[in-house]
């Protein structure tokens, strides 16, 4: 299987830099899998679970990620996201509280902008809980 170089950046850290065999990204229209030799493109990444298979050990690593984008050029993948957390880094209680707050905000009458912010907060909390529960 062909490999490719991947660099994953969150707003506060680099979560991966090295060679990969596969990466699965959450996108607006479902999950997208990137393999070595993928055509050049730029795509939006949504809140969800990002998975990658590092070349060194062949193990899958999962992360709860926020929104951002991915760029694939010349067998190099660069992923830029707001947040990236490994399941063991997630505080489940805090994620549950964030989910409840977002659900309460969605039940209240609000502007269109506030509605979209609340939906994004809910999606972020749900992806964090999903990642934490897989551990």
């Amino acid at each position: 299987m062909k490999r490719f170089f991947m660099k994953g950046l969150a707003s506060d850290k680099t979560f991966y830099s090295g060679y990969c065999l596969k990466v699965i990204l959450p996108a607006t229209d479902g999950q997208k899998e990137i393999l070595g030799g993928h055509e050049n493109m730029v795509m939006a990444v949504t809140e969800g679970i990002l998975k990658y298979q590092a070349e060194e050990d062949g193990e899958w690593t999962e992360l709860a990620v926020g929104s951002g984008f991915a760029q694939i050029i010349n067998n190099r993948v660069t992923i830029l996201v707001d947040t990236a957390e490994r399941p063991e880094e997630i505080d489940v209680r805090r994620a549950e509280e964030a989910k409840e707050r977002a659900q309460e905000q969605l039940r209240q009458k609000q502007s269109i902008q506030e509605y979209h912010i609340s939906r994004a907060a809910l999606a972020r909390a749900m992806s964090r809980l999903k990642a934490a529960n897989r551990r």
Side-chain angles (χ1 to χ4, degrees):
M1 183 176 289
K2 284 181 77 175
R3 65 187 190 145
F4 59 91
F5 186 81
M6 182 177 98
K7 186 159 194 167
L9 304 164
S11 60
D12 60 343
K13 64 184 173 188
T14 299
F15 60 84
Y16 185 77
S17 182
Y19 285 95
C20 282
L21 299 173
K22 300 177 186 178
V23 63
I24 300 173
L25 302 166
T28 54
D29 56 346
Q31 294 182 327
K32 301 292 184 189
E33 183 173 19
I34 309 297
L35 301 171
H38 197 283
E39 74 175 323
N40 296 344
M41 66 184 291
V42 175
M43 62 178 283
V45 175
T46 60
E47 292 90 0
I49 306 296
L50 177 144
K51 298 183 228 177
Y52 63 88
Q53 188 176 25
E55 183 187 45
E56 304 89 46
D57 54 10
E59 293 290 319
W60 284 95
T61 302
E62 292 187 357
L63 298 157
V65 296
S67 59
F69 71 94
Q71 176 187 43
I72 300 107
I73 295 180
N74 296 330
N75 217 30
R76 295 176 68 85
V77 177
T78 305
I79 302 167
L80 299 169
V81 291
D82 293 334
T83 59
E85 296 176 286
R86 297 188 190 293
E88 57 271 9
E89 298 172 343
I90 296 171
D91 182 350
V92 176
R93 184 185 54 78
R94 220 173 108 225
E96 283 283 352
E97 290 171 359
K99 175 186 165 192
E100 290 171 13
R101 271 194 314 274
Q103 288 174 330
E104 179 59 35
Q105 288 172 345
L106 285 171
R107 284 191 283 272
Q108 298 173 1
K109 187 172 180 164
Q110 49 188 335
S111 70
I112 292 174
Q113 181 181 6
E114 290 170 333
Y115 171 78
H116 288 294
I117 291 170
S118 297
R119 280 195 47 198
L122 180 60
R124 193 168 37 256
M126 295 295 287
S127 68
R128 293 178 74 223
L129 287 169
K130 185 176 179 182
N133 289 332
R134 289 184 178 199
R135 151 173 84 124

